[in-house]
Amino acid sequence: MQRLLHHDDLGKLILRLAVGGLILLHGIDKLLSPASITGIGNMLDAMGLPIFLAYGVLIGEIVAPLMAILGWQARIGGLLMAGNMLVAFILVHRDELLTLNAQGGWTLELQGMFLCGALAIMLMGSGRLAMHPD
């Protein structure tokens, strides 16, 4: 039993699959709904930034999660996902940073978990159960 409870590589795999898989679904949605990329571009434009940077979300929500899921350069994938979440905090959620939801939890708890999970992947790497362990 103790051996089962001390399987770091399995824990890393579960983390990579959960965080990467859930963020990937957001990226797939953006691919299927091009208007969302336009909306991100409009937010960037309002901040005086180039609209083409909106396509960076596809790196943070498709390429990086796939890197994490497969365990290929997972640390870089974690960094890209964390960067994507920081941009989301600034562009979309800055007014909610200090707010609570109706149940008393942080309004951004999902985004916060994505950010922390991505940072954990970046810091811990893929583990041995990966395409290219790091």
Side-chain angles (χ1 to χ4, degrees), residues 40-117:
I40 294 168
N42 292 338
M43 286 185 255
L44 289 165
D45 189 42
M47 296 179 81
L49 296 169
I51 294 172
F52 75 87
L53 292 177
Y55 291 98
V57 74
L58 300 178
I59 294 170
E61 293 186 5
I62 293 179
V63 175
L66 288 173
M67 292 169 73
I69 290 167
L70 296 172
W72 179 79
Q73 301 294 325
R75 290 178 192 271
I76 296 170
L79 174 66
L80 292 171
M81 289 186 291
N84 184 75
M85 291 313 303
L86 288 173
V87 170
F89 273 87
I90 293 166
L91 282 181
V92 182
H93 302 290
R94 66 182 168 270
D95 294 337
E96 301 169 301
L97 280 174
L98 302 175
T99 63
L100 300 177
N101 62 27
Q103 294 77 35
W106 187 29
T107 304
L108 301 179
E109 59 191 17
L110 177 63
Q111 293 84 354
M113 287 295 288
F114 285 162
L115 174 62
C116 292

